[in-house]
Amino acid sequence: MLKFIIRRVLIAIPTLLVLISISFVLVHSAPGSPFTDDRDIPPAIMKNIEAKYHLDRPLIVQYCYYLKDVVTWDFGPSFKFKDYSINDLVNKSFPVSIKIGFLAFLFALIVGVAAGVIASLNQNSKIDYSVMTFAMIGAAIPNFVLAPALVLFFAIYMKILPAGGWNGGEWKYLLLPVFAMSFRYIASIARIMRASMIEVLNSNFIRTARAKGMSNSYVIIHHALRPAILPVVSYLGPAFVGIITGSVVIETIFGLPGIGQLFVNGALNRDYNMVLTLTIIIGGLMILFNTIVDILYAVIDPKIKY
Amino acid sequence: MKFFKFTAAVLTAFLLTTTSLVAKQELVRGNGSEPVTLDPNLGEGIPGSNIDRDLFETLMTEDNQGNVILGQAESYTISDNKLIYTFKIKKSAKWSNGNHVTADDFEYAFKRIVDPKIAAKYSWYLKILGIKNTAAILNGKKPVESLGVKALDSKTLEITLGKPIPYFLIGLSNIIMAPVPKEIVQKYGQNWTKIEHIVSNGAYKLGEWIVNERIVLVKNDKYYGADKVKIEKVTYLPIPEQSTELNRYKAGEIDYLYELPKNQYKHLMKTIPNEVKVLGRVGTYYYYLNMKKKPFDDIRIRKALSYAVNRDVLANKVLGTGEKPAYTLVPEIVSGYTLKLPPYAKLTQKQRDEQARKMLNDAGFNKSHPLKFELLYNTSEQHKRNALAIASMWKRVFHGAVIVTLKNQEWKTYLSDKRAGNFQVARAGWIGDYNEASTMLDLLTKGHSSNNSFYDNPEYDALMNKARVTTDDVQRNKLYQEADAMIARDMPIIPLFQYSNARLIKPRVGGYPKVNPLGDIYTKYLYIKK
Amino acid sequence: MISNDKKEVLEKLELESRSLFQDAKIRFFKNKAAVLSLVIICIIVLFVLFGQNLSQFAYEDTDWDLMQVAPSFLTGHFFGTDDLGRDIFVRTLQGGKISLMVGLMGACVAVVIGVFYGATAGFIGGKIDGLMMRIVDILASFPFMFFIILLVTFFGRNIGFIFVAIGMVSWLDVARIVRGQTLSLKEKEFIEAARVSGTSNFKIVQKHIIPNVIGIVIVYATLLIPNMIIFESFLSFLGLGVQEPDTSWGALVNEGSKVMDIAVWQLAFPGLFLVITLFCFNFIGDGLRDALDPKDR
């Protein structure tokens, strides 16, 4: 196991390096500079601005500067927001995204697995059909339709929840974004869970266990759940990526100060270092998460050895 | 002097005493996006300026209607040759930490703006104001110290101009020209705007700042006019997405909208018409015709395209939030300027369409040999709608003799393509930096960075140069009219409409003006009524 | 040259696999939901392609007197109009063309790249396989969606680019699945037979491996299509979708979602088409999987 983890970390380094390089080339080949503006900037001033941010140096030198920034974990000033450094901005937005993402993820996992199990135990009943219908709808409704619909209903007509904002992460402000974000994944997880649970319940070892006279709930909890959850675990990686990506939409609609907004604005403003920093952080997170998922998989499935 | 209408201020004060106010004077303002900086000298963009106008005050400031009045200055004198302005700063002008606002603070601030090391984006603005040696300093030919600003004593500031600029005092009211606390800026450098260091000299001081979420300002008791300031606390929320902002307004979380989604306007006028407020603005929306590219060097083509746009439909139906059709560059709201409609504006749309077809035909384009071009605009819901509407007007009027392809690009790509002349027809708009016609007309002078039509008319440039030094208001505005007429004659751009600013304001918010050409709404003039 | 008995074996295998497909076909057509979905998709496709003839409007035509009006047979705007007076009916059809095309083409790109890459890696095996799969691992931890945002932001958009971009993201999973299948196929006798008879590696991959993994790939591709359509709508939300006056269901739904409280028809009609289409593809995908993979249930 330790060997496996070390190997993953070793792979992570070149992966991140490739990531940085590609993003670097991409960002710097974009038309316009961070300081292109509607109003004219005198050439002398432009030269000074560029010097201030090392933009007058050859690209390869800038690349080295950037690598240095990564190693020291100090990404310098934002090109756009003059009062803050990139570290400041990311440190402030990151917890917001993590909190929402984590809650949405957890919520999707718990509700999705529960719904899937309940459906599978009542196969072809009304409960099963309603869960499956819900799952189908969930997979088909884009979150940018669901989110404003929720706002319209809960915030504007019922006036029981706020229409947006963060307010330090107070629970009232979390409900709608977390639900809007997790909806799709509740649906997918429920579907996967149901299918795999049905398969496991029909397998020989469950039949044997039942034949031995064990109680139904005991069999399900102690024998069926563990193998049945494996396909869900392997879906967690893609779900995580989806939630991170979806955060761009949810943060825009609810006006949340997270990294999704920071990234899109960074790209639009050509805030080079901001975009690069977020790419690394998101990439790093994905590597980390995939590793956790793999370990989890190994813990649950005794057949897998590293 | 006609710029200083004290009557309006007196009237507002009178009204205030007669309306009953609620005890809790708190306001929540939607503010578009996160401000780029709170440093007034480095400022750029409307969101930052909105907040800075509450935090800081310039020598000359504006009343609620946008008329220029005395701000931190108590009085001023102008030399006979109109080159030297001497300002006396109010004895009661203080920073929020109790220190006096000194002439030194102003001198320091103005020099920061042009300091190449500071590299402020609006440094060019001091050139427009004509402050002595600005150009040379910006080009690195003279030291910053040579700027024509000098503190004679702690409360007396002398500004020297390179040439007489008739709109100097008006221009001075722009928030860029705010003083900064020299000691604190020197001590903390770039970090001086952080909440733990910042002090301000305006009606408010910074209370809380959560990036990308909110900025809270609280009343500044040290402000000389503090007794007239009603709102105790104002919260600015950066919400870039218009529909999100509207939802939060409807849910009662915002009192004052930054911008109204145009596709909701009709509906809002039906349901809550008393909350919809429209202000005209110094600003014009137009399309550049790239005169360096064939066939747009042909005046017939430019005129044909311009004539065929039905500006009434565009302003009243496609936009419909108080915009006015534009046939020239200068909007009619500019103070002291009388708009003269060019001849083509007086025709009916039908006549214009006919002339347009004829001109296009004369220029050699018809159905079998259509004029094909790309219309460039930057990504935005509104620019997209306008472009779609105008493209469909062209399609209809020219019966297939004009084929337009829309092309949108995000802001920076669009800017670089536009500046490099890498387009045929491109969307643009210009919001005035000060309330005077030259803020618009300068655009089309040769060599101006935003002259993206590459209009090159020595006659026009000569007119503008002459106007710049004409101190007589009537004479100067006559010159501006001539220049404006020249644009309608040569049609280097297609003027489309005059900007307006439509927003929703809760009925409980009082003091919102009926007129304010620059759209500079100071919180200190607002109040919450019962 | 293949000797006679080997030829016989091969023919027999082919026969066997054909009957496998026939079995699948029978199973698929027994699945009512899947069959119904298939019928609905066919109707939607025909409707999107030829529905234009039912309306007198063109998708880019504006009407200043009928802006944002509700559906009505009197005006001829069956689905109402948008805020520029454009007919939602024809725009929904136009959007459907783009959305379906994005879905199909995106899935094709993903499948073509994924199948060749996966089959090659699995067939060659050994160190090269390890290397190729490491590359897939590395790519899998790239935040591709963010790359696409960057690419489309910086370098403008056209439909072709969106196809490729979306396909690029999704080929990794296809490659993994195909490689896994290939590895197990490789051990089967008929591959061995082909190899012994001197068929070139490329030919084996082309003639034997790919046809045998195509079943599972089709299932996967069917399930990919709805994802592609959703992803395109995500790009539309960010303002990076197709260029107006062209449109897609995603773009229409996005516009409609902003006015859902005042002009619900702008959301409802394109939304309905989008949801039904996604539903159907999901059902068909499920049906195909059940049909091709008899061990399931």
Side-chain angles (χ1 to χ4, degrees):
Chain A
M1 181 63 86
L2 193 69
K3 218 169 138 192
F4 165 75
I5 295 175
I6 292 171
R7 212 172 66 205
R8 283 309 276 261
V9 173
L10 286 181
I11 290 181
I13 293 169
T15 307
L16 282 176
L17 207 63
V18 174
L19 197 63
I20 294 172
S21 312
I22 295 180
S23 329
F24 187 86
V25 171
L26 210 61
V27 169
H28 281 270
S29 55
S33 94
F35 308 105
T36 314
D37 202 4
D38 214 359
R39 269 45 170 177
D40 191 24
I41 299 176
I45 294 290
M46 197 54 146
K47 250 170 81 184
N48 278 298
I49 297 179
E50 287 179 344
K52 192 168 158 188
Y53 296 104
H54 306 307
L55 291 179
D56 52 343
R57 312 294 288 273
L59 269 185
I60 185 78
V61 178
Q62 291 187 44
Y63 182 70
C64 295
Y65 271 118
Y66 187 70
L67 286 184
K68 197 196 94 206
D69 286 352
V70 175
V71 173
T72 55
W73 205 253
D74 174 7
F75 298 97
S78 156
F79 294 166
K80 174 77 178 172
F81 299 106
K82 300 200 179 78
D83 300 337
Y84 289 94
S85 70
I86 289 183
N87 288 49
D88 273 346
L89 291 169
V90 172
N91 286 345
K92 283 184 169 113
S93 322
F94 194 63
V96 174
S97 295
I98 282 293
K99 192 163 181 184
I100 295 196
F102 181 72
L103 285 176
F105 193 74
L106 210 66
F107 186 64
L109 193 61
I110 294 171
V111 178
V113 168
V117 170
I118 292 170
S120 66
L121 295 179
N122 302 285
Q123 212 182 337
N124 298 329
S125 72
K126 266 190 190 145
I127 301 175
D128 185 24
Y129 289 138
S130 41
V131 168
M132 288 331 283
T133 313
F134 165 80
M136 277 294 184
I137 294 173
I141 293 186
N143 49 5
F144 59 78
V145 174
L146 178 69
L150 289 173
V151 169
L152 269 186
F153 185 73
F154 288 103
I156 295 174
Y157 295 128
M158 303 279 291
K159 293 204 187 294
I160 48 174
L161 287 173
W166 176 241
N167 207 19
E170 205 188 312
W171 67 271
K172 267 205 312 203
Y173 291 79
L174 288 173
L175 284 182
L176 292 183
V178 165
F179 184 71
M181 212 174 205
S182 53
F183 190 68
R184 208 180 144 70
Y185 301 98
I186 296 177
S188 305
I189 291 175
R191 252 178 91 188
I192 295 170
M193 191 67 203
R194 175 185 175 271
S196 87
M197 194 73 182
I198 289 175
E199 202 181 322
V200 171
L201 286 177
N202 290 335
S203 65
N204 293 332
F205 75 97
I206 295 291
R207 282 196 207 122
T208 322
R210 279 203 177 124
K212 279 184 183 164
M214 292 175 191
S215 81
N216 201 18
S217 55
Y218 184 89
V219 171
I220 289 161
I221 293 168
H222 287 90
H223 295 282
L225 220 46
R226 205 171 145 127
I229 211 161
L230 276 177
V232 173
V233 173
S234 56
Y235 176 70
L236 293 184
F240 178 76
V241 176
I243 282 178
I244 291 261
T245 317
S247 69
V248 177
V249 176
I250 297 298
E251 283 171 17
T252 308
I253 291 177
F254 290 100
L256 305 173
I259 52 172
Q261 291 231 51
L262 223 48
F263 184 87
V264 173
N265 285 329
L268 291 178
N269 296 324
R270 307 289 187 273
D271 203 340
Y272 297 152
N273 279 11
M274 177 66 87
V275 172
L276 291 172
T277 307
L278 289 175
T279 315
I280 291 195
I281 291 179
I282 294 164
L285 261 181
M286 284 170 65
I287 294 173
L288 178 75
F289 195 81
N290 280 327
T291 312
I292 294 175
V293 166
D294 283 345
I295 293 171
L296 208 67
Y297 207 91
V299 171
I300 297 178
D301 187 355
K303 273 185 287 183
I304 291 191
K305 287 224 170 58
Y306 291 99
Chain B
M1 294 210 93
K2 63 189 214 182
F3 301 126
F4 314 118
K5 293 182 186 157
F6 288 102
T7 41
V10 173
L11 205 69
T12 325
F14 175 72
L15 278 174
L16 267 175
T17 49
T18 53
T19 355
S20 58
L21 303 182
V22 294
K24 201 176 158 198
Q25 290 287 320
E26 293 182 1
L27 180 75
V28 183
R29 283 176 76 159
N31 199 33
S33 50
E34 176 71 16
V36 166
T37 171
L38 286 189
D39 188 326
N41 301 150
L42 305 186
E44 49 183 287
I46 296 168
S49 314
N50 278 345
I51 299 173
D52 280 343
R53 268 191 290 273
D54 280 350
L55 285 175
F56 298 96
E57 191 175 276
T58 41
L59 286 168
M60 305 301 291
T61 184
E62 297 162 284
D63 69 10
N64 202 11
Q65 279 68 39
N67 303 302
V68 173
I69 55 172
L70 288 165
Q72 295 279 294
E74 178 182 74
S75 64
Y76 58 86
T77 54
I78 308 173
S79 69
D80 289 341
N81 59 4
K82 305 225 156 64
L83 287 178
I84 299 171
Y85 286 69
T86 314
F87 292 90
K88 275 277 172 207
I89 296 164
K90 285 190 171 92
K91 295 259 170 339
S92 51
K94 284 182 179 165
W95 293 104
S96 52
N97 59 1
N99 291 351
H100 276 283
V101 175
T102 63
D104 215 23
D105 291 332
F106 276 99
E107 186 190 328
Y108 179 67
F110 292 2
K111 286 184 175 163
R112 275 180 96 215
I113 304 176
V114 292
D115 188 345
K117 278 204 267 337
I118 300 278
K121 266 200 185 171
Y122 256 68
S123 49
W124 56 269
Y125 189 70
L126 269 67
K127 213 160 75 183
I128 303 263
L129 291 189
I131 298 180
K132 204 177 157 191
N133 289 337
T134 309
I137 297 169
L138 292 179
N139 291 330
K141 296 211 176 79
K142 279 194 177 167
V144 179
E145 286 69 40
S146 64
L147 187 73
V149 183
K150 208 163 102 198
L152 298 181
D153 63 50
S154 76
K155 289 281 185 185
T156 314
L157 184 75
E158 183 190 272
I159 303 178
T160 312
L161 306 188
K163 57 188 170 192
I165 296 288
Y167 47 82
F168 176 71
L169 285 173
I170 305 177
L172 213 50
S173 70
N174 192 312
I175 196 63
I176 300 282
M177 305 304 286
V180 291
K182 185 178 175 184
E183 266 175 50
I184 290 176
V185 177
Q186 279 180 335
K187 192 163 164 198
Y188 298 108
Q190 236 172 351
N191 280 324
W192 81 273
T193 50
K194 292 274 165 67
I195 185 141
E196 55 271 31
H197 308 309
I198 190 170
V199 299
S200 56
N201 70 330
Y204 293 89
K205 57 186 180 185
L206 188 61
E208 193 187 2
W209 186 359
I210 303 173
V211 176
N212 273 324
E213 208 215 330
R214 71 171 114 183
I215 291 181
V216 181
L217 310 183
V218 292
K219 192 171 158 180
N220 175 11
D221 295 328
K222 303 286 188 311
Y223 179 58
Y224 64 83
D227 53 334
K228 289 199 206 79
V229 177
K230 300 294 170 206
I231 306 262
E232 299 279 340
K233 181 176 146 190
V234 52
T235 305
Y236 282 93
L237 300 178
I239 309 174
E241 181 74 24
Q242 287 181 354
S243 50
T244 306
E245 196 192 19
L246 180 65
N247 280 341
R248 295 190 66 180
Y249 178 88
K250 285 184 186 161
E253 293 161 27
I254 295 177
D255 303 312
Y256 176 114
L257 217 58
Y258 180 72
E259 237 173 356
L260 188 84
K262 304 255 184 228
N263 50 7
Q264 295 265 359
Y265 180 74
K266 258 197 285 175
H267 177 73
L268 295 169
M269 279 308 274
K270 255 185 255 161
T271 48
I272 41 172
N274 61 326
E275 295 176 34
V276 180
K277 309 279 175 184
V278 175
L279 288 179
R281 286 189 85 168
V282 178
T284 305
Y285 191 102
Y286 53 90
Y287 281 170
Y288 282 120
L289 298 164
N290 189 345
M291 292 169 70
K292 272 190 181 163
K293 288 227 164 125
K294 279 190 185 298
F296 299 98
D297 54 341
D298 185 338
I299 186 166
R300 289 170 299 186
I301 303 278
R302 298 200 301 269
K303 279 190 157 175
L305 290 178
S306 173
Y307 281 25
V309 175
N310 187 339
R311 290 161 175 88
D312 287 317
V313 164
L314 186 69
N316 299 325
K317 294 207 164 165
V318 177
L319 294 131
T321 47
E323 287 82 359
K324 292 189 177 129
Y327 295 91
T328 57
L329 184 56
V330 183
E332 58 187 62
I333 198 168
V334 169
S335 67
Y337 181 80
T338 320
L339 183 80
K340 240 170 92 185
L341 277 182
Y344 84 100
K346 293 170 187 150
L347 305 174
T348 65
Q349 188 58 41
K350 214 173 147 200
Q351 290 168 320
R352 276 198 289 267
D353 289 349
E354 267 161 29
Q355 292 196 11
R357 277 190 287 268
K358 188 171 177 302
M359 283 188 283
L360 191 81
N361 203 33
D362 291 349
F365 291 97
N366 48 51
K367 208 167 178 176
S368 49
H369 176 233
L371 170 65
K372 287 184 191 167
F373 62 90
E374 271 184 350
L375 169 56
L376 177 69
Y377 61 97
N378 57 304
T379 309
S380 127
E381 198 57 35
Q382 198 47 50
H383 302 328
K384 182 183 88 185
R385 291 187 65 197
N386 298 341
L388 284 165
I390 290 164
S392 92
M393 287 172 190
W394 282 333
K395 188 182 162 195
R396 216 164 295 173
V397 170
F398 296 114
H399 306 302
V402 167
I403 296 175
V404 198
T405 319
L406 302 192
K407 181 180 179 190
N408 81 321
Q409 289 176 339
E410 54 83 46
W411 181 238
K412 299 266 180 178
T413 314
Y414 152 86
L415 281 178
S416 17
D417 270 2
K418 189 170 69 125
R419 198 156 289 174
N422 198 1
F423 70 93
Q424 291 164 301
V425 177
R427 166 272 146 188
W430 192 261
I431 304 276
D433 290 305
Y434 48 93
N435 190 359
E436 216 253 2
S438 62
T439 193
M440 305 300 298
L441 290 167
D442 274 347
L443 277 182
L444 289 172
T445 51
K446 191 181 178 187
H448 193 288
S449 70
S450 288
N451 181 358
N452 302 129
S453 286
F454 308 100
Y455 181 52
D456 179 4
N457 182 353
E459 222 183 319
Y460 182 86
D461 295 348
L463 264 179
M464 288 309 294
N465 280 333
K466 198 172 156 201
R468 227 182 296 276
V469 289
T470 306
T471 42
D472 180 75
D473 288 341
V474 178
Q475 275 303 316
R476 193 171 69 250
N477 277 306
K478 263 213 177 106
L479 293 172
Y480 289 151
Q481 279 181 342
E482 275 179 55
D484 214 16
M486 218 173 268
I487 294 173
R489 188 194 70 196
D490 295 343
M491 213 67 85
I493 58 169
I494 305 178
L496 294 168
F497 61 85
Q498 306 170 11
Y499 273 108
S500 78
N501 200 338
R503 54 167 58 102
L504 292 173
I505 301 204
K506 291 275 177 198
R508 66 192 194 95
V509 179
Y512 193 75
K514 295 226 159 37
V515 189
N516 190 322
L518 291 180
D520 295 346
I521 312 294
Y522 294 72
T523 306
K524 65 178 173 189
Y525 298 129
L526 307 178
Y527 51 90
I528 311 289
K529 59 194 179 193
K530 274 199 175 115
Chain C
M1 291 296 116
I2 304 171
S3 64
N4 269 345
D5 52 332
K6 267 176 196 148
K7 217 177 195 168
E8 231 166 65
V9 171
L10 282 181
E11 269 169 9
K12 205 173 143 219
L13 272 167
E14 243 163 60
L15 249 171
E16 233 177 62
S17 70
R18 198 173 297 143
S19 66
L20 204 79
F21 271 105
Q22 259 153 7
D23 269 5
K25 214 160 103 187
I26 293 164
R27 270 198 295 272
F28 181 80
F29 280 104
K30 268 189 191 154
N31 184 335
K32 279 187 203 128
V35 174
L36 186 67
S37 298
L38 191 64
V39 173
I40 294 176
I41 286 286
C42 289
I43 294 174
I44 288 180
V45 169
L46 287 176
F47 188 61
V48 160
L49 288 179
F50 303 109
Q52 231 104 13
N53 303 323
L54 300 174
S55 177
Q56 75 226 51
F57 305 104
Y59 72 91
E60 79 268 37
D61 279 354
T62 49
D63 187 341
W64 313 127
D65 298 320
L66 291 172
M67 285 160 70
Q68 221 164 42
V69 296
S72 153
F73 281 99
L74 275 179
T75 56
H77 295 292
F78 311 130
F79 290 180
T81 60
D82 69 4
D83 55 1
L84 280 173
R86 294 180 295 178
D87 184 67
I88 300 281
F89 178 78
V90 279
R91 289 189 69 71
T92 303
L93 299 180
Q94 160 71 16
K97 268 183 218 158
I98 304 269
S99 280
L100 289 172
M101 217 153 71
V102 169
L104 286 173
M105 297 297 282
C108 277
V109 172
V111 164
V112 169
I113 301 177
V115 167
F116 271 97
Y117 194 92
T120 310
F123 188 74
I124 294 174
K127 281 220 172 101
I128 294 188
D129 174 37
L131 185 73
M132 284 175 88
M133 282 299 117
R134 271 299 84 75
I135 291 175
V136 169
D137 283 346
I138 288 177
L139 289 177
S141 47
F142 270 28
F144 265 113
M145 306 286 188
F146 289 82
F147 269 163
I148 290 180
I149 296 176
L150 289 185
L151 277 173
V152 184
T153 312
F154 296 159
F155 304 109
R157 58 276 218 13
N158 62 61
I159 301 181
F161 187 76
I162 294 174
F163 291 149
V164 176
I166 297 181
M168 291 295 281
V169 183
S170 315
W171 69 271
L172 298 171
D173 287 331
V174 181
R176 281 191 178 137
I177 294 169
V178 171
R179 174 196 172 251
Q181 292 282 312
T182 310
L183 278 180
S184 63
L185 274 173
K186 212 166 68 172
E187 312 302 323
K188 297 265 164 69
E189 294 113 354
F190 68 100
I191 301 287
E192 205 55 35
R195 205 198 295 266
V196 171
S197 63
T199 317
S200 76
N201 282 352
F202 182 75
K203 267 260 166 69
I204 295 179
V205 170
Q206 199 190 8
K207 280 259 158 78
H208 298 291
I209 306 273
I210 290 179
N212 275 293
V213 296
I214 213 76
I216 189 150
V217 166
I218 286 173
V219 173
Y220 193 78
T222 319
L223 294 171
L224 257 180
I225 293 173
N227 286 341
M228 300 285 164
I229 294 178
I230 283 270
F231 185 57
E232 194 279 331
S233 71
F234 171 70
L235 286 182
S236 292
F237 172 83
L238 293 175
L240 306 172
V242 291
Q243 172 68 55
E244 287 268 1
D246 280 342
T247 190
S248 70
W249 284 338
L252 288 170
V253 166
N254 180 39
E255 260 165 46
S257 71
K258 287 181 181 149
V259 291
M260 63 167 89
D261 49 340
I262 57 170
V264 72
W265 56 89
Q266 266 187 261
L267 173 65
F269 291 105
L272 209 63
F273 274 88
L274 177 72
V275 169
I276 292 179
T277 305
L278 298 186
F279 255 56
C280 291
F281 275 113
N282 278 327
F283 277 120
I284 296 173
D286 284 356
L288 281 175
R289 187 183 50 211
D290 292 349
L292 288 165
D293 189 7
K295 92 165 170 25
D296 229 14
R297 255 139 294 170

